[in-house]
Amino acid sequence: MTVFNVAEERNQTPAVKSLIHFNNAGASLMPNVVVEGMKNYIDSEVSQGGYETARDFAKELDLFYDHTAKLINSGSNEIAFVESATVAWQRAFHSIPLEKGDVIITCVSEYASNYIAYLQLAKLKAVEIVTIPNDDNGEIDIQALESAITPRVKLVSIGHIPTGNGLINPAEKVGAITQKHKILYLLDACQSVGQYPINVEKIKCDFLSATGRKYLRGPRGTGFLYARQETTLGLEPLSLDLHSAEWTDLDSYQMRSDAKKYETWESNLSAKLGLSLAIHHLNLLGIEHVQERITFVANYFRERLGALAHIQVMDTGNIKSGIVTFINEKNDAEEVMKYLFKNKVNVSVVVASSSLLDLQDRNITEAVRASVHYYNTIDEVDKFISLLEKF
Ligand SMILES: Cc1ncc(COP(=O)(O)O)c(C=O)c1O
């Protein structure tokens, strides 16, 4: 049972009156509380200056760490604010000392930017990439993962919810293995934070990267990194500045001991406040209720799409997310997106290069991605289906 009021959430999301937004895996619509908070912050910068506003809002800005920690059950000192999931992921990844012959384990549904980073390190440092196959459900095969562990494995790095597939990888089962073998575990939670409950104590990951604009409903250009204090304390980010470290003597510096060592001094503070407000808003609604609502709408969506003769739903996985992908046999994905956009419906297109192994594995060159959030309705899905029937 959804306990929050969907109608009220829609009232706080003005665009839903004039369009159907099924592009939440791209960027979801920000609630009024986020937009107003950011406008207010910028107004203050305009009237009294950027540094002066930062001083005025110091307490509010600091709450970002508490709200985020609450959402994922971490310590506030284990959170860094950054510009995107990619920045969070790269800062974590490049702080891990990997050498020739070390093995990085990943999964079939890995995101392109992450895989490109493995390939780059394979080229520069001769590390080895091992991709664990999927099980029959399309999720990372846990037994194959366990069998692939050798003393050379230095990192297990996987995506939780992929960019172009409705599946949810069993992040906790992966964490049980990495913990048992004392291997670092980096989880790309870009598409899962905000739509699926994340508890880093249960997942047992050492790093978790996330973005603000997708399921968290924050502004663009925001993200965060979780870095487990206990296991990442000794790691040094590839580049440091006067915020992540202190210049203590002419030939020495002292790096910070908390996750802020992954930040830089300058950042977009109105956006940071916006993300903080978005996460607080989500905490008030309750991620379990949000997940329940998203699952309800997405399952109904897949059911209705599955009944259309010319549509093939492409999602794999035992448990599914709010990301619904499908192929329209009559038109290519780009045409479908343009047609829907003309009819005031937002979706996006998944192309093979965004998650090459996964899409090649399933023989897909491109698919339509309709990603739902808790503010979407059954009525919107019905309108979507009747538009597809006419196309
Ligand atoms: C699974 C996954 N990981 C990482 C990213 C990168 O996120 P960002 O664009 O915020 O860097 C995306 C973006 O779509 C994604 O879907």
Side-chain angles (χ1 to χ4, degrees):
M1 252 277 287
T2 303
V3 293
F4 61 84
N5 185 337
V6 175
E8 177 51 25
E9 288 305 309
R10 288 175 68 79
N11 275 339
Q12 297 303 314
T13 311
V16 300
K17 290 189 182 71
S18 53
L19 59 84
I20 297 177
H21 190 69
F22 286 151
N23 192 12
N24 297 289
S28 60
L29 300 169
M30 292 183 279
N32 284 345
V33 64
V34 170
V35 180
E36 280 156 17
M38 288 170 68
K39 280 182 179 166
N40 184 31
Y41 190 92
I42 291 170
D43 283 345
S44 170
E45 284 190 329
V46 169
S47 64
Q48 65 162 342
Y51 285 34
E52 296 68 22
T53 298
R55 269 206 308 268
D56 251 16
F57 280 78
K59 266 199 193 129
E60 282 94 328
L61 289 167
D62 228 33
L63 283 175
F64 164 76
Y65 301 95
D66 300 338
H67 295 326
T68 309
K70 184 169 184 210
L71 179 67
I72 65 166
N73 191 31
S74 72
S76 303
N77 60 338
E78 296 177 304
I79 303 293
F81 172 74
V82 293
E83 301 92 304
S84 66
T86 303
V87 169
W89 191 95
Q90 288 175 344
R91 295 227 174 110
F93 179 68
H94 292 296
S95 72
I96 302 168
L98 295 169
E99 300 299 336
K100 185 176 176 182
D102 288 346
V103 172
I104 300 169
I105 283 186
T106 188
C107 63
V108 173
S109 56
E110 185 62 306
Y111 187 62
S113 302
N114 306 349
Y115 211 94
I116 289 166
Y118 309 142
L119 291 172
Q120 192 186 24
L121 220 61
K123 187 175 72 177
L124 296 176
K125 291 202 170 171
V127 299
E128 205 182 301
I129 311 162
V130 171
T131 307
I132 304 299
N134 287 333
D135 64 13
D136 292 343
N137 291 319
E139 298 162 4
I140 183 171
D141 186 326
I142 293 299
Q143 271 173 3
L145 170 64
E146 178 103 63
S147 321
I149 303 292
T150 68
R152 288 206 289 133
V153 177
K154 294 290 152 50
L155 173 68
V156 172
S157 174
I158 64 156
H160 197 190
I161 294 183
T163 197
N165 190 339
L167 84 92
I168 304 176
N169 269 320
E172 286 184 26
K173 288 185 185 163
V174 172
I177 293 172
T178 53
Q179 195 192 42
K180 182 168 136 196
H181 296 278
K182 296 195 168 39
I183 297 167
L184 282 175
Y185 176 18
L186 165 54
L187 184 66
D188 173 351
C190 179
Q191 294 288 3
S192 56
V193 169
Q195 70 158 311
Y196 192 79
I198 301 280
N199 182 333
V200 291
E201 282 317 305
K202 285 191 182 159
I203 295 175
K204 298 183 171 46
C205 53
D206 301 290
F207 289 113
L208 179 143
S209 53
T211 207
R213 72 183 182 282
K214 298 181 188 286
Y215 278 91
L216 288 174
R217 305 188 67 194
R220 294 202 67 170
T222 61
F224 73 83
L225 174 67
Y226 156 76
R228 182 179 295 279
Q229 183 70 8
E230 202 186 318
T231 49
T232 66
L233 186 66
L235 300 182
E236 186 156 333
L238 204 57
S239 53
L240 294 169
D241 74 351
L242 79 179
H243 170 78
S244 49
E246 188 187 347
W247 192 10
T248 45
D249 211 334
L250 279 186
D251 55 2
S252 63
Y253 62 86
Q254 178 71 43
M255 187 175 69
R256 293 184 72 111
S257 58
D258 59 11
K260 287 196 182 97
K261 71 184 176 189
Y262 290 101
E263 297 182 342
T264 51
W265 189 87
E266 175 59 352
S267 60
N268 183 338
L269 295 184
S270 63
K272 183 180 188 178
L273 180 68
L275 180 56
S276 178
L277 294 169
I279 295 174
H280 182 50
H281 185 71
L282 172 63
N283 284 338
L284 293 177
L285 295 178
I287 183 65
E288 278 78 15
H289 302 306
V290 163
Q291 184 213 0
E292 202 177 343
R293 167 80 189 167
I294 291 173
T295 307
F296 167 69
V297 180
N299 284 349
Y300 177 75
F301 209 150
R302 289 192 190 94
E303 210 178 287
R304 297 263 1 234
L305 282 170
L308 299 180
H310 62 294
I311 299 291
Q312 214 183 327
V313 178
M314 301 309 296
D315 302 318
T316 61
N318 189 24
I319 308 167
K320 291 186 176 58
S321 75
I323 297 177
V324 178
T325 60
F326 66 89
I327 290 174
N328 180 334
E329 281 158 15
K330 289 201 273 181
N331 310 85
D332 67 38
E334 194 79 22
E335 282 175 62
V336 177
M337 181 180 74
K338 285 182 182 154
Y339 162 74
L340 291 168
F341 184 68
K342 262 193 210 148
N343 286 282
K344 294 207 156 289
V345 179
N346 296 341
V347 294
S348 62
V349 171
V350 183
V351 293
S353 59
S354 65
S355 195
L356 197 60
L357 283 171
D358 180 34
L359 273 81
Q360 273 185 351
D361 207 45
R362 293 183 292 140
N363 243 328
I364 305 173
T365 48
E366 56 172 32
V368 180
R369 181 179 70 179
S371 43
V372 304
H373 216 318
Y374 61 81
Y375 55 75
N376 290 125
T377 62
I378 295 298
D379 187 45
E380 287 180 329
V381 174
D382 289 340
K383 282 185 186 142
F384 184 96
I385 297 293
S386 60
L387 276 171
L388 272 191
E389 280 168 338
K390 284 184 228 147
F391 189 47

